[in-house]
Amino acid sequence: IDDLAAVDYSLNRLPAVFRPFIDLDLKGIVYPAGNYTGPPYVAAPFTIPDRRDSMLYLAFSEYFFQTYSFAYYTAGAFNITIAEEIKSGKFFFFFLQTCSYFNISTEIFGSIIPEVAKYSVTPYPVMLKLMATEVPIISLEQDSFTVEIQGSMEVIAVLPDSATQSLFTMNITANTSVALNIFDQKLMGSLCLNRLQFSLAHSNVGVFEISLLENILSYILQTEVIPSANGK
């Protein structure tokens, strides 16, 4: 697939040949590149509905997406550092796209969190370290699928001598729904942010109320990021 993951799509068994169709049963296992290890999931058997009005039917099981998530998590793909100079990119629940609208600094966080303003009177650039703390859970629904992500975000001040000082770390839980549709012969996806929760895990600037920051980030993600993802 890329430098981080590969897919095993070899046959599970010999093709089943019938008069009206041929049935191919492929493995569909995604694993970290160069490390073919069995994922901690069990593949459940499933069948494709018996329909005859199309030439080809292709089905992906929930197991395929589970191994996909596990492979990229194991490869460290969900661990990202966001520096002030980064203006574009992606994050596992699109926080990085939101950050591209701002000049990230202690002044920004200080305007929301008084304890940061007291800790850092002089504005310093801020670096964010984001990581998934558990394998993202992908669940298939009737007309869409949901992604549940457990992660953390560490906010770090970059001092003039290039030294760094950790300000605080937050735990993050995000739940998104992705609906897929075919429009003009293209596969389109629509995103919906169902839930975004923050909790304070550790702080070097003192204990503070996380709800205001949570509300602001939730509003930004829902008004700026989610509409821009429609059709992408």
Side-chain angles (χ1 to χ4, degrees):
I1 302 175
D2 53 27
D3 293 338
L4 298 178
V7 59
D8 179 358
Y9 54 88
S10 58
L11 286 168
N12 276 322
R13 55 182 172 83
L14 290 175
V17 181
F18 303 92
R19 184 178 295 275
F21 64 89
I22 297 176
D23 190 3
L24 299 177
D25 183 10
L26 309 178
K27 284 186 176 180
I29 301 175
V30 182
Y31 58 93
N35 182 22
Y36 191 97
T37 56
Y41 308 108
V42 177
F46 71 99
T47 57
I48 300 178
D50 187 13
R51 297 178 59 183
R52 308 292 175 85
D53 54 344
S54 294
M55 180 178 177
L56 174 68
Y57 288 95
L58 183 63
F60 293 90
S61 67
E62 193 171 77
Y63 174 80
F64 170 80
F65 293 102
Q66 289 173 336
T67 63
Y68 188 97
S69 177
F70 176 79
Y72 279 94
Y73 174 82
T74 304
F78 301 126
N79 301 337
I80 300 174
T81 298
I82 305 173
E84 182 189 20
E85 65 271 10
I86 296 178
K87 298 301 180 184
S88 63
K90 60 182 178 179
F91 174 52
F92 50 90
F93 64 92
F94 314 106
F95 186 80
L96 181 53
Q97 294 182 17
T98 303
C99 291
S100 65
Y101 292 97
F102 300 94
N103 181 19
I104 309 173
S105 67
T106 55
E107 186 176 15
I108 292 291
F109 284 96
S111 63
I112 305 172
I113 305 171
E115 286 76 8
V116 174
K118 296 175 183 178
Y119 180 86
S120 176
V121 179
T122 303
Y124 294 123
V126 163
M127 181 170 59
L128 306 179
K129 284 191 174 182
L130 304 110
M131 63 179 296
T133 54
E134 297 180 11
V135 180
I137 300 173
I138 300 176
S139 303
L140 299 186
E141 308 294 342
Q142 181 64 33
D143 299 313
S144 64
F145 62 90
T146 61
V147 182
E148 181 85 24
I149 300 170
Q150 302 284 342
S152 68
M153 180 177 74
E154 184 181 9
V155 179
I156 303 171
V158 182
L159 306 180
D161 59 356
S162 297
T164 58
Q165 175 61 54
S166 176
L167 300 180
F168 58 89
T169 301
M170 296 187 299
N171 294 322
I172 305 172
T173 299
N175 182 284
T176 64
S177 295
V178 183
L180 300 177
N181 296 284
I182 296 178
F183 179 75
D184 194 22
Q185 298 184 351
K186 295 181 180 179
L187 183 63
M188 304 296 229
S190 299
L191 292 174
C192 178
L193 181 61
N194 301 324
R195 185 176 73 255
L196 181 64
Q197 296 177 322
F198 295 86
S199 62
L200 187 63
H202 176 74
S203 175
N204 290 321
V205 298
V207 179
F208 57 87
E209 181 59 49
I210 203 72
S211 60
L212 180 58
L213 179 60
E214 180 180 45
N215 292 337
I216 292 175
L217 291 177
S218 297
Y219 175 79
I220 291 172
L221 283 169
Q222 294 187 59
T223 58
E224 296 289 346
V225 177
I226 299 306
S228 68
N230 289 331
K232 298 297 185 181

